[in-house]
Amino acid sequence: PALGRMLRPGDDVQGAAHVMVISYNTWRRHFGGDSSIIGHQLTSPVLGWRYAIVGVAAAGLDYPAGTDYWVPIVPMGTESIIALGRLAPGASVPTARSEFLAAMQRLQPEYHVTSADVRTFTQEVLGNVRPVLIALTAAVLLLLVIACVNVANLLLMRSTGRVREMAVRAALGAGRGRLVRQLLAESCILALAGCAAGLAVAYAGVRGLVALIPPDSGVPRLDTIHMDGTVLCFVIGLSVVTVALFGLIPALQASQLEPQSALQQGTVRTAGRERGRLRYSLVVGEIALSLVLIAG
């Protein structure tokens, strides 16, 4: 727990004091994170009893989703109880439902258990948010691919004007390895600067979006949303590879040209038909991906 203690077996016996544990979101939203909340009493709107707050749950403990507080189970006749259990190996959800009802009717017939809604833990926590999260993830991946294609096209256009420069360097004695190292260093600096700016924007964007989402929106585990390290490494790696790959094309092309012929020709001609086709293909692909993203 963030403060105090969680519920104990001794809290669930006849004659025990009425105690409750409030959620982390409730503690921050309604009590301003007051560390002296332990011992204060609240009246449950459902049961109408006064409970002493004995603890504040840790951030992220949100079961079922949106829970404000937890109290010990006290049989009161007609009620709904939410329990968490583990399925036996090979057991299915319908089998668990039937077995649970049979066990309750056999062990505690006075409770008159008539129905049970059994769900997997993932279904209970995520609910119907999963399709939305999948759609958002797909949109983000499309946007990432569009950005990489855009950067690749810009680098190819920039490299058009550098063929003569690479030819001059080659004529002065620079070998293929020297040209590749130079452009690789330039590409790495460009990629690192872009990643640093992207990280700053992403951090501010995540904080801003989380602040805009209402607490009762139904988004599961809202207080635990943060920038994921694995995702960041993937995006940074893809960005660096894209910039490095297309930034090295001028050096690779210059190494295949005769410096004298490259210097005698114009910049536009040295670009060649193959590079033009690649640029046009990237533009077409970028437009197609953008239309898919907008439609989605």
Side-chain angles (χ1 to χ4, degrees):
L3 285 177
R5 65 175 179 86
M6 302 299 286
L7 297 178
R8 299 171 179 170
D11 298 327
D12 195 19
V13 297
Q14 194 69 26
H18 295 164
V19 296
M20 76 162 47
V21 174
I22 62 175
S23 68
Y24 189 86
N25 283 339
T26 299
W27 177 53
R28 297 298 299 269
R29 184 169 65 249
H30 294 297
F31 302 100
D34 184 8
S35 58
S36 63
I37 192 66
I38 303 300
H40 288 209
Q41 292 194 348
L42 293 177
T43 300
S44 168
V46 177
L47 303 176
W49 296 344
R50 292 188 64 82
Y51 288 86
I53 300 176
V54 295
V56 176
L61 178 57
D62 188 23
Y63 181 81
T67 297
D68 291 319
Y69 62 90
W70 296 267
V71 297
I73 294 177
V74 179
M76 294 182 59
T78 303
E79 60 184 333
S80 175
I81 297 176
I82 298 176
L84 178 63
R86 184 185 298 274
L87 282 178
S92 63
V93 171
T95 302
R97 180 186 297 108
S98 301
E99 185 177 345
F100 172 77
L101 287 174
M104 290 299 294
Q105 292 171 0
R106 181 177 68 255
L107 298 176
Q108 295 178 317
E110 68 275 10
Y111 284 177
H112 300 291
V113 178
T114 57
S115 63
D117 182 17
V118 182
R119 306 176 188 175
T120 64
F121 187 76
T122 302
Q123 291 173 341
E124 179 65 26
V125 173
L126 295 182
N128 58 354
V129 181
R130 183 181 181 88
V132 178
L133 295 180
I134 293 177
L136 288 176
T137 302
V140 169
L141 289 176
L142 272 177
L143 188 60
L144 177 62
V145 173
I146 292 172
C148 290
V149 172
N150 198 15
V151 169
N153 205 12
L154 291 174
L155 289 173
L156 285 177
M157 293 185 63
R158 181 172 178 265
S159 67
T160 302
R162 303 196 67 182
V163 174
R164 291 176 61 86
E165 175 193 343
M166 295 297 109
V168 170
R169 293 180 182 276
L172 292 177
R176 184 175 183 178
R178 184 72 176 269
L179 296 177
V180 169
R181 287 195 300 271
Q182 175 195 340
L183 291 178
L184 183 61
E186 294 178 1
S187 299
C188 288
I189 294 175
L190 182 63
L192 291 176
C195 289
L199 285 175
V201 173
Y203 179 79
V206 170
R207 296 288 298 272
L209 287 175
V210 172
L212 290 176
I213 299 176
D216 56 350
S217 62
V219 178
R221 301 172 61 82
L222 181 61
D223 55 332
T224 62
I225 295 178
H226 64 285
M227 294 174 59
D228 183 74
T230 303
V231 175
L232 285 179
C233 291
F234 169 76
V235 174
I236 292 174
L238 182 61
S239 304
V240 172
V241 168
T242 300
V243 175
L245 177 62
F246 289 92
L248 289 177
I249 289 181
L252 299 178
Q253 290 179 334
S255 64
Q256 299 173 357
L257 295 175
E258 290 293 335
Q260 183 176 359
S261 61
L263 290 173
Q264 290 175 352
Q265 296 177 3
T267 300
V268 177
R269 291 183 179 180
T270 59
R273 294 182 178 179
E274 292 183 359
R275 190 189 307 183
R277 292 195 189 99
L278 179 58
R279 285 170 46 195
Y280 294 145
S281 300
L282 290 174
V283 171
V284 172
E286 187 175 355
I287 294 175
L289 291 172
S290 300
L291 290 176
V292 172
L293 179 62
I294 293 175

